[in-house]
Amino acid sequence: MQREVSVPLLPTWARWTLVAVAAAVIFYASVLASPPAGPETGPIGVDKFYHAGGYFGFGLAVAYAVLDAERPFPVRLAVVFAVPVVYGVGVEVAQGFVPERALDPIDALANAVGGAAACALYAAVDRLSTIRPVAITGDR
């Protein structure tokens, strides 16, 4: 049995601004800021959890942005998956051009895992409940 869940929605422009801010924070932390000093973490170190967590949050921001989009659910689901994954790969490529950084395919994989987890949560919530968007202020 599905449960109806009311989700307060900011205007569309504000939700996409949230996505842009999240992307900017990730870009700053991943490319522009000096890498943190510390011991090598190995191929599957604690930093991979930071990558996955950051892109999980980014994916949830994208999910919130497309919540009331007038597109079929599979299209919205694909956007929730693709945006963080493609952005994560792009950030890793950008790191390859920064002297203190390196392009790390395992980091890109961790980014994709975070985006996929956000996508899975979005799909599970959609399957288990009926989401009823409620506008907070104004319209799109």
Side-chain angles (χ1 to χ4, degrees):
M1 182 168 143
Q2 288 192 330
R3 181 177 149 205
E4 185 171 299
V5 178
S6 296
V7 178
L9 288 183
L10 293 170
T12 303
W13 66 267
R15 288 180 275 145
W16 282 107
T17 299
L18 176 66
V19 171
V21 168
V25 168
I26 288 172
F27 187 82
Y28 175 80
S30 301
V31 178
L32 302 177
S34 296
E40 286 295 318
T41 57
I44 309 294
V46 70
D47 67 311
K48 303 311 180 251
F49 292 100
Y50 296 145
H51 282 267
Y55 282 86
F56 176 73
F58 185 51
L60 291 180
V62 174
Y64 181 60
V66 301
L67 197 58
D68 68 339
E70 295 178 4
R71 298 282 185 263
F73 180 72
V75 172
R76 288 181 281 137
L77 196 61
V79 169
V80 171
F81 178 73
V83 170
V85 170
V86 170
Y87 188 72
V89 169
V91 166
E92 288 303 318
V93 170
Q95 285 181 343
F97 295 100
V98 177
E100 309 83 48
R101 301 278 189 172
L103 189 159
D104 185 351
I106 303 298
D107 284 353
L109 179 61
N111 299 344
V113 166
C119 184
L121 179 60
Y122 183 56
V125 167
D126 182 76
R127 182 164 175 82
L128 298 174
S129 61
T130 301
I131 299 171
R132 186 172 57 88
V134 179
I136 293 177
T137 56
D139 202 356
R140 299 177 194 204

